[in-house]
Amino acid sequence: MSRPPTAPPTLEDVARVAGVSRATVSRVINGTRNVDRRIQEVVRAAIDQTGYAPNRAARSLVTKRAGTIALVVSGAGDQGEEDAFATRVFSDPFFGRVASGVLGFLRTRGVHPVLMVADTEAAREDVLSFLRQGSADGALLVSTHAEDPLPARLVQAELPAVLFARPARPVPISYVDLDHQAGAKLAADHLVRRGCTQVATISGPLDVPASQDRLTGFRDAMARHGFPYVPIAEGGFTSGSGEAAMERLLAEHPTLDGVFAANDLMAQGALLVLQKHGRRVPDEVAVVGFDDSSPALSCRPRLTTVRQPVEDMAAGMSRLLLDHVEEPGLRPKSVIFEPSLVVRESA
């Protein structure tokens, strides 16, 4: 005789394991703000232990929410090259780290992300329609282009949204970002401490605020160390652009002995060029990157780099969005994270 199927865990089961009332469990699951953080953690641990799965359809009838957010990677193009854009974006380890941080934060809160790519006008309209129809409660936006119109359109439509990184143009939208200038200063200070006296930099695209801030921070720090001129080659945040920029710098400044690349992928490209030209790293040329992404560990030598806590920033972005969903009309807010230097073999 077969055994009857085991009944799925209930709210009462979670409440019993957590040692709280059924109402408290319900408030935690529904994202009510006035529940003590320690109690929330106990309830979420009980949810994990019991395997309880909230009934999303029933909950949405009560809360008027979808229990879903849109994780949007957006650009400014409208040439119908979505596949090429998606390939380029998701080959960059940065976006994997953002997704990991978002998933890690949302998974214990009963909220599910839906990935959307918006690099054409039609795709941007799809995102706006998706949100207006209530299919998602808000948007986490990673914008890849300074001219991206989507942040302003989300604000105009009064849709809850939070941006990763300061917008290139003033828009009253919440965002998380890094103190990029402080990070670039860490790189400059380290190269000078190593005794580098002919230092150059590979910047990111100069229409991107993060690139501008990293370049400004590096130049200012070098000037404070007594170096008024820093040669610059602009890159595009890709390994190939780092190679091209390093070739230009070597041709114009063959005796350089230190390089700061504004992200790890460009630093990786720079290392390949230095190796090709027989320049020993770090003995002849020290190299510092930015991000502390996976290429920093796959490089040979392994890369000294400025760490950007992307996963923590993505979690902070998610927390901000849930605040806006819970409290419509909440004023825009910025949260700035601090960088740190990770010293390895390249400098």
Side-chain angles (χ1 to χ4, degrees):
M1 183 175 181
S2 62
R3 297 176 60 186
T6 303
T10 64
L11 276 180
E12 287 78 8
D13 295 326
V14 176
R16 185 176 64 257
V17 171
V20 300
S21 69
R22 183 184 187 279
T24 296
V25 174
S26 180
R27 287 201 298 274
V28 171
I29 290 173
N30 291 326
T32 304
R33 291 170 61 90
N34 62 349
V35 181
D36 183 85
R37 185 175 296 277
R38 288 171 297 179
I39 293 176
Q40 292 182 44
E41 292 172 354
V42 169
V43 171
R44 291 184 185 117
I47 290 171
D48 289 341
Q49 182 178 337
T50 60
Y52 175 73
N55 184 322
R56 292 178 63 203
R59 186 174 68 179
S60 67
L61 289 174
V62 175
T63 64
K64 308 300 182 185
R65 296 180 196 149
T68 299
I69 58 92
L71 175 56
V72 184
V73 182
S74 179
D78 56 4
Q79 290 82 28
E81 297 179 351
E82 299 96 325
D83 291 342
F85 173 73
T87 299
R88 186 171 67 253
V89 164
F90 296 115
S91 64
D92 188 329
F94 166 82
F95 296 100
R97 294 179 66 192
V98 171
S100 176
V102 168
L103 288 168
F105 180 84
L106 294 179
R107 65 183 301 180
T108 60
R109 290 159 175 80
V111 179
H112 302 270
V114 173
L115 179 63
M116 304 185 77
V117 175
D119 194 39
T120 67
E121 181 57 29
R124 287 189 284 273
E125 284 297 331
D126 286 344
V127 170
L128 292 167
S129 296
F130 191 75
L131 293 165
R132 288 191 184 109
Q133 292 166 7
S135 300
D137 298 316
L140 299 171
L141 181 60
V142 182
S143 185
T144 65
H145 197 288
E147 300 301 321
D148 183 6
L150 191 54
R153 294 181 65 177
L154 288 165
V155 170
Q156 290 165 3
E158 298 183 346
L159 295 166
V162 179
L163 187 62
F164 193 107
R166 172 169 55 93
R169 296 183 177 181
V171 177
I173 189 170
S174 288
Y175 66 83
V176 299
D177 207 346
L178 185 78
D179 188 341
H180 297 281
Q181 293 194 34
K185 180 181 184 299
L186 291 174
D189 292 348
H190 184 70
L191 289 170
V192 171
R193 279 196 303 268
R194 282 190 55 89
C196 297
T197 59
Q198 300 182 66
V199 177
T201 183
I202 301 173
S203 77
L206 291 177
D207 60 347
V208 175
S211 300
Q212 298 166 4
D213 289 348
R214 292 175 195 181
L215 178 58
T216 297
F218 190 73
R219 279 174 152 173
D220 287 352
M222 291 300 295
R224 290 178 182 276
H225 286 296
F227 298 95
Y229 171 65
V230 176
I232 300 162
E234 184 177 357
F237 283 147
T238 65
S239 181
S241 71
E243 290 186 55
M246 191 71 249
E247 290 282 9
R248 294 196 300 275
L249 287 173
L250 279 179
E252 296 169 9
H253 308 278
T255 59
L256 64 81
D257 61 2
V259 177
F260 167 54
N263 83 337
D264 292 342
L265 282 172
M266 293 191 300
Q268 183 181 52
L271 287 173
L272 292 173
V273 170
L274 290 168
Q275 182 180 36
K276 183 180 76 173
H277 286 270
R279 304 294 294 275
R280 289 177 297 123
V281 177
D283 297 335
E284 295 180 84
V285 182
V287 178
V288 178
F290 203 110
D291 282 339
D292 196 26
S293 56
S294 55
L297 292 174
S298 61
C299 287
R300 291 297 177 268
R302 297 186 311 161
L303 193 63
T304 292
T305 186
V306 177
R307 176 166 177 76
Q308 180 173 200
V310 174
E311 294 84 357
D312 293 341
M313 294 168 70
M317 177 171 65
S318 304
R319 183 180 292 107
L320 264 181
L321 180 61
L322 295 189
D323 287 346
H324 281 289
V325 170
E326 178 68 27
E327 190 176 337
L330 190 69
R331 69 170 180 82
K333 183 178 180 181
S334 57
V335 179
I336 307 300
F337 288 75
E338 294 300 320
S340 58
L341 184 70
V342 181
V343 178
R344 298 191 180 98
E345 293 85 21
S346 72

